[in-house]
Amino acid sequence: MASVSLTLLSPLFSNSSKSSLKLGISNANQTSIQENLNLICIDSKRGVSLSQRRETLIKGLALLPLVVFGGAPISEAREVEVGSYLPPSPTDPSFVVFKASPKDTPALRAGNVQPYQFLIPPTWKQSRVANILSGNYCQPKCAEPWVEVKFEDEKQGKIQVVASPLIRLTNKPNASIEEIGDPEKVIASLGPFVTGNSYDPDELLETSVEKRGQQTYYKYVLETPFALTGSHNLAKATAKGSTVVLFVASANDKQWSTSQKTLKAMLDSFEV
């Protein structure tokens, strides 16, 4: 990639104070930018109207996002279906396996969260997690919960893994989920991170406890008509080390009618 210095000449920039812009621009795109800028200079000499020269300048500058950052703008990027890069489940070929590793999240790199895994349909796509929600700014000592990963399918719903510092729920170091409290107490603290806004105990339809080796999980079925995440939510929580990890599967009414079995299978597969 070449470095080019461009001097912008137009009625928008006074001749006495020319603006020089240094950019890293690929050779393939230099010609397009320079041609538009040259047109500005020629049009100025010919007496072309101010509005026409401004339009020409804008057309030239419109190419800058492509040449500076390369390729299409970020907003046009498309996530890839997870089935193209995740291994198939050895127990159910209709799913693939996502195993979180330190390269996936800031908390895993910091050692704040133990590796976790779950099954996911191959047609789902991973969603970007905003930096402010990812915990990247506060690791390794975050005071509030953060989002680890997010996946979604427009026809089936979405899932996310949320992590919370253990100290937010109990003062006991390395407490198990049972030592924090019963399922109702835990969901009362984590409920807003299931719904995306608020939690009402009346929205809780069902709770259950699952044992996997030494690890205990609390499972929840919620009907949440006012939730930002969706009118139907499934959740599963456990505590390990200094963190409580929460798996959430969400769907609206239309998605729930056809995908609840799939969402429940994903929830059941989650383990830390």
Side-chain angles (χ1 to χ4, degrees):
M1 177 174 288
S3 179
V4 175
S5 178
L6 302 177
T7 302
L8 305 181
L9 299 175
S10 121
L12 302 179
F13 301 86
S14 66
N15 290 333
S16 61
S17 58
K18 299 177 182 178
S19 297
S20 180
L21 181 63
K22 293 184 180 294
L23 301 171
I25 301 178
S26 64
N27 292 329
N29 288 298
Q30 288 180 29
T31 302
S32 295
I33 295 292
Q34 192 62 58
E35 285 177 351
N36 278 281
L37 293 172
N38 288 342
L39 284 174
I40 297 170
C41 299
I42 295 171
D43 287 345
S44 180
K45 294 177 181 178
R46 291 177 178 174
V48 178
S49 69
L50 173 60
S51 61
Q52 290 174 306
R53 292 197 296 269
R54 184 184 294 114
E55 180 180 355
T56 304
L57 174 63
I58 292 173
K59 286 180 180 178
L61 294 180
L63 294 171
L64 293 183
L66 298 179
V67 297
V68 175
F69 297 106
I74 293 175
S75 61
E76 294 183 6
R78 296 290 183 267
E79 293 85 359
V80 179
E81 292 184 354
V82 296
S84 66
Y85 60 90
L86 293 180
S89 167
T91 58
D92 189 338
S94 63
F95 290 95
V96 294
V97 183
F98 175 79
K99 293 184 177 181
S101 66
K103 68 180 179 61
D104 292 308
T105 75
L108 282 163
R109 288 192 289 274
N112 262 358
V113 174
Q114 299 299 311
Y116 49 86
Q117 67 178 54
F118 51 87
L119 299 182
I120 185 170
T123 56
W124 284 49
K125 298 176 182 179
Q126 186 165 5
S127 305
R128 293 184 178 90
V129 178
N131 190 57
I132 195 168
L133 298 177
S134 71
N136 186 43
Y137 66 96
C138 61
Q139 299 295 341
K141 293 185 177 181
C142 294
E144 293 297 325
W146 63 89
V147 177
E148 280 281 293
V149 293
K150 295 170 65 177
F151 295 83
E152 65 181 312
D153 181 284
E154 61 180 14
K155 295 181 179 179
Q156 295 186 304
K158 53 192 172 185
I159 64 99
Q160 62 179 334
V161 176
V162 179
S164 172
L166 187 65
I167 192 68
R168 192 176 182 276
L169 283 82
T170 179
N171 290 323
K172 184 175 182 179
N174 299 310
S176 66
I177 196 82
E178 299 105 318
E179 291 173 320
I180 295 174
D182 59 24
E184 288 75 14
K185 179 180 179 180
V186 171
I187 196 63
S189 296
L190 299 178
F193 302 99
V194 174
T195 64
N197 44 14
S198 61
Y199 169 71
D200 185 337
D202 291 337
E203 297 172 336
L204 183 60
L205 301 182
E206 182 183 326
T207 66
S208 59
V209 178
E210 176 186 345
K211 285 274 192 178
R212 288 194 180 186
Q214 300 298 313
Q215 201 69 24
T216 300
Y217 299 84
Y218 289 166
K219 297 169 66 176
Y220 306 92
V221 178
L222 303 98
E223 188 171 300
T224 52
F226 305 110
L228 294 179
T229 51
S231 51
H232 299 272
N233 275 287
L234 304 173
K236 186 175 182 179
T238 192
K240 193 168 187 178
S242 61
T243 310
V244 175
V245 185
L246 179 71
F247 181 94
V248 182
S250 309
N252 57 37
D253 290 332
K254 183 178 180 180
Q255 294 167 333
W256 183 254
S257 63
T258 58
S259 65
Q260 57 178 299
K261 183 178 179 180
T262 298
L263 296 175
K264 287 179 178 178
M266 296 167 70
L267 183 88
D268 289 341
S269 71
F270 176 75
E271 62 180 331
V272 179

